[in-house]
Amino acid sequence: MEVLRLCLEQITCALVYFSYAQQDHKLNENGINNGERRMIFVFLVNSLIVALAVLVHYEFLYRLAHSIPKINVRHRFKLLIAVFGTFIAHVIEIWLFAIAYYYMHKAEGWGELSGNFTGSLLDCGYFSFTVYSTVGFGDIEPMGSIRYLTGIESLTGLMLIAWSASFLYLEMQRQWAVKPS
């Protein structure tokens, strides 16, 4: 939980710093202009959000893999626990991206989400669910630097969903090999 809190603080700090950096168009002492600085910050913030989502997913799967065998219930219920556990992990990861969209949309210089979008956290959650699952209805459109997060969220969602499918397959193999009680 402490790691999650620290990562969210770092994301918030990066967003605030990026908003202030947008106002400076001069070259800094290393010769990096505002456009290059923006690209670096977009990359860093997006990487931090993806890393946080992957860490959340890893922790959920690790804890499920170690705790499910110890639970004293029928094997079919162990599979349900695994399915619901991975589902909860995906929902948390989607809301991490949704929170990032919400703050990026509100912050200056990150771009915006337009279309059937009111700017609410709930709309950001809806958008994140469609992007993460790669459904992409198209009723909300990203503009500006926020587009890069939508692309990386689709790839992240695809990889984490595949990881969950592999995990559930292995759990089924392990649990179905046990004789029913």
Side-chain angles (χ1 to χ4, degrees), residues 29 107 143:
E29 63 276 358
M143 309 290 240

Side-chain angles (χ1 to χ4, degrees), residues 59-78:
E59 284 299 320
F60 262 83
L61 296 185
Y62 179 82
R63 291 177 193 277
L64 284 169
H66 284 81
S67 61
I68 287 174
K70 298 174 187 172
I71 299 172
N72 192 17
V73 295
R74 298 178 123 203
H75 69 282
R76 67 178 64 172
F77 294 121
K78 289 181 180 184

Side-chain angles (χ1 to χ4, degrees), residues 100-133:
Y101 288 128
Y102 181 76
Y103 284 112
M104 285 179 173
H105 179 74
K106 300 284 182 195
E108 213 174 291
W110 284 93
E112 64 179 359
L113 297 172
S114 62
N116 191 13
F117 183 75
T118 64
S120 69
L121 184 58
L122 191 60
D123 278 353
C124 291
Y126 163 77
F127 179 68
S128 185
F129 270 95
T130 61
V131 171
Y132 186 92
S133 63

Side-chain angles (χ1 to χ4, degrees), residues 36-171:
E36 292 167 340
R37 190 177 330 174
R38 176 177 37 205
M39 182 180 69
I40 292 167
F41 278 113
V42 167
F43 173 78
L44 290 175
V45 170
N46 289 345
S47 298
L48 191 60
I49 294 165
V50 169
L52 186 58
V54 171
L55 285 172
V56 166
H57 203 76
Y58 171 80
E59 284 299 320
F60 262 83
L61 296 185
Y62 179 82
R63 291 177 193 277
L64 284 169
H66 284 81
S67 61
I68 287 174
K70 298 174 187 172
I71 299 172
N72 192 17
V73 295
R74 298 178 123 203
H75 69 282
R76 67 178 64 172
F77 294 121
K78 289 181 180 184
L79 290 176
L80 288 175
I81 291 168
V83 169
F84 286 119
T86 55
F87 181 77
I88 291 168
H90 286 291
V91 169
I92 290 170
E93 294 150 15
I94 289 167
W95 279 103
L96 287 174
F97 282 100
I99 290 167
Y101 288 128
Y102 181 76
Y103 284 112
M104 285 179 173
H105 179 74
K106 300 284 182 195
E108 213 174 291
W110 284 93
E112 64 179 359
L113 297 172
S114 62
N116 191 13
F117 183 75
T118 64
S120 69
L121 184 58
L122 191 60
D123 278 353
C124 291
Y126 163 77
F127 179 68
S128 185
F129 270 95
T130 61
V131 171
Y132 186 92
S133 63
T134 66
V135 171
F137 289 123
D139 55 341
I140 299 174
E141 183 182 356
M143 309 290 240
S145 296
I146 203 168
R147 292 178 301 166
Y148 300 109
L149 184 60
T150 61
I152 199 75
E153 183 184 9
S154 293
L155 181 60
T156 303
L158 180 67
M159 289 180 6
L160 296 183
I161 290 168
W163 189 4
S164 294
S166 299
F167 171 77
L168 291 173
Y169 174 78
L170 292 173
E171 278 301 311

Side-chain angles (χ1 to χ4, degrees), residues 6-19:
L6 290 172
C7 286
L8 288 175
E9 285 178 5
Q10 293 300 318
I11 291 169
T12 305
C13 289
L15 288 171
V16 169
Y17 182 77
F18 180 74
S19 295

